[in-house]
Amino acid sequence: MSSALPYWRLSGFYFFYFALLGATAPFLALYFDHLGFSAARIGELIAIPMLMRCIAPNIWGWLGDYSGRRLAIVRFGALCTLLCFAGIFVSQSYAWLALIMALHAFFWHAVLPQFEVITFAHLKEQATRYSKIRLWGSIGFIVAVVGLGKLFEVLSLDAYPWALTLIMGGIVLSSWWVPNAQPLMRPNTQEQGGFIQQLRRPGILAFYLSVGLMQLSNGPYYTFLSLHLEALGYTRGMIGQLWALGVLAEIVLFMVMARLLARYSLRTVLLASFLITAVRWLLLGNLAGHLPVLLFAQLMHAATFGSFHAAAMHFVQRSFADRQQGQGQALYAALAGVGGALGALYSGYSWHSLGAAWTFAIASLIALAAAVITARYMRDERP
């Protein structure tokens, strides 16, 4: 195999993988609402894949580190995701949908943590180029939210499962296009010890706790933003474009991320991300009816996801030995899953009882808590 970086093959996988996220984050709640489910049931159904994210990545991460067959896990997970989700055409009852959400998510969440390790293995000493590959995931997200937003203005949301199936097929095909790569085998130093010992090093647990809190604060955004905006009078096409604007800001951030990381420490980037996120939730909860404010709040997605995710990936890649990269990435995904699931559940139960403003205000306080933990316990190191 050539040692040249397979830029387009890696980018193509990210494109389809995050196109699926672009198809689910804005529209899954709308689809369940279209089927007639209440806000509480919608919150529960959306929480199920996130709960599977707490379990699945750790199982697959251990298997990837133990076997070294990460690409095989990616391909197997992508295919099983498609096959399990196809069961949605059998029935749309609550119990059946809950089963479909659990089964397909178990395999879907096997994929990305292992693929992140493969990407960094291809990058070798060029890790700062990660953001320029990952930005194609953001482009895939934009294509999905804009395209599906327009599609659902023309067609019924009954077409939604077909759209997701098509995107999942793209993930399967692109996974077979990617060449394999293994991390350089740097042996653990005696000071590092095993994976659990590495978790006890200063700042590591604080980082993972802040990851969980960040995703907890994202609960109302990913579960109810589209319904919130629809209630304020925005069309589905406009809602898709607003989601796309946030991810466009994320792409611009990814393009300059290498320079930001050269100038600022990971701790500083993460701290800024949490503080900006706290402000963003207050704007969305209270002033989303004003289009200029809503546009500004969506641009803040560059921090809420972009800078946070890129800095987090660098932190994990730097903090663990190569044979433990899969477990480090899996723990990141699992903590994000715990936070995301709890965020979907609390927002589902509070949306009608407390309202949008208070639900987003709680999310803002959670993001502030993550900022306090980062400022207090994480060490100020550069990537």
Side-chain angles (χ1 to χ4, degrees), residues 25-27 29-30 33 145 220-246 280-281 283-298 351 356 360:
F27 300 114
L30 289 176
D33 180 68
V145 294
Y221 180 76
Y222 284 112
T223 309
F224 288 110
L225 179 68
S226 293
L227 289 172
H228 180 45
L229 297 181
E230 195 170 54
L232 291 172
Y234 295 98
T235 66
R236 287 175 184 169
M238 183 65 173
I239 290 169
Q241 292 168 13
L242 287 164
W243 278 87
L245 176 63
R280 185 188 184 203
W281 299 153
L283 295 178
L284 287 177
N286 295 276
L287 299 170
H290 302 278
L291 184 58
V293 176
L294 179 57
L295 294 174
F296 178 67
Q298 286 304 90
W351 195 256
F360 274 109

Side-chain angles (χ1 to χ4, degrees), residues 83-351:
L83 295 177
C84 290
F85 184 80
I88 200 170
F89 296 107
V90 175
S91 171
Q92 282 79 45
S93 70
Y94 175 81
W96 184 254
L97 286 174
L99 179 63
I100 294 299
M101 291 294 104
L103 285 178
H104 96 276
F106 179 78
F107 294 103
W108 188 31
H109 293 314
V111 170
L112 187 61
Q114 300 308 307
F115 197 80
E116 298 280 24
V117 178
I118 293 169
T119 298
F120 277 105
H122 277 295
L123 287 167
K124 297 184 177 71
E125 301 303 322
Q126 307 175 69
T128 54
R129 294 184 64 188
Y130 167 80
S131 296
K132 292 187 178 179
I133 295 173
R134 174 57 183 79
L135 69 83
W136 283 96
S138 304
I139 293 171
F141 189 103
I142 287 178
V143 170
V145 294
V146 173
L148 293 180
K150 292 294 185 183
L151 179 68
F152 296 142
E153 285 189 342
V154 177
L155 300 177
S156 164
L157 277 164
D158 290 333
Y160 181 70
W162 292 100
L164 263 64
T165 302
L166 185 63
I167 295 170
M168 289 175 184
I171 297 174
V172 173
L173 292 176
S174 63
S175 72
W176 286 93
W177 193 37
V178 174
N180 199 11
Q182 295 288 353
L184 295 174
M185 294 312 299
R186 299 171 298 184
N188 291 6
T189 64
Q190 193 168 2
E191 291 78 15
Q192 283 181 308
F195 181 69
I196 300 300
Q197 287 178 274
Q198 291 186 55
L199 288 178
R200 294 171 180 162
R201 287 160 47 219
I204 303 294
L205 288 178
F207 164 76
Y208 279 112
L209 178 57
S210 69
V211 166
L213 290 173
M214 182 63 146
Q215 297 307 317
L216 177 61
S217 84
N218 272 271
Y221 180 76
Y222 284 112
T223 309
F224 288 110
L225 179 68
S226 293
L227 289 172
H228 180 45
L229 297 181
E230 195 170 54
L232 291 172
Y234 295 98
T235 66
R236 287 175 184 169
M238 183 65 173
I239 290 169
Q241 292 168 13
L242 287 164
W243 278 87
L245 176 63
V247 183
L248 184 62
E250 171 188 310
I251 290 174
V252 174
L253 191 284
F254 279 140
M255 293 174 69
V256 301
M257 195 65 199
R259 278 180 278 175
L260 285 177
L261 290 176
R263 184 170 182 178
Y264 301 103
S265 68
L266 292 176
R267 175 177 172 272
T268 299
V269 173
L270 289 169
L271 182 58
S273 300
F274 295 138
L275 292 173
I276 293 170
T277 298
V279 174
R280 185 188 184 203
W281 299 153
L282 291 177
L283 295 178
L284 287 177
N286 295 276
L287 299 170
H290 302 278
L291 184 58
V293 176
L294 179 57
L295 294 174
F296 178 67
Q298 286 304 90
L299 290 175
M300 296 168 84
H301 191 72
T304 304
F305 180 83
S307 60
F308 165 75
H309 179 75
M313 288 299 97
H314 281 278
F315 185 90
V316 173
Q317 192 267 342
R318 185 197 67 188
S319 298
F320 296 97
D322 293 305
R323 286 296 287 184
Q324 295 157 346
Q325 287 287 308
Q327 293 172 81
Q329 291 285 356
L331 185 59
Y332 172 85
L335 266 293
V338 171
L342 293 176
L345 285 172
Y346 103 74
S347 59
Y349 294 130
S350 72
W351 195 256

Side-chain angles (χ1 to χ4, degrees), residues 352-371:
H352 284 307
S353 59
L354 298 179
W358 276 106
T359 302
F360 274 109
I362 294 169
S364 180
L365 288 174
I366 294 167
L368 279 177

Side-chain angles (χ1 to χ4, degrees), residues 24-39:
T24 53
F27 300 114
L28 190 57
L30 289 176
Y31 177 65
F32 290 147
D33 180 68
H34 170 73
L35 295 179
F37 293 110
S38 68

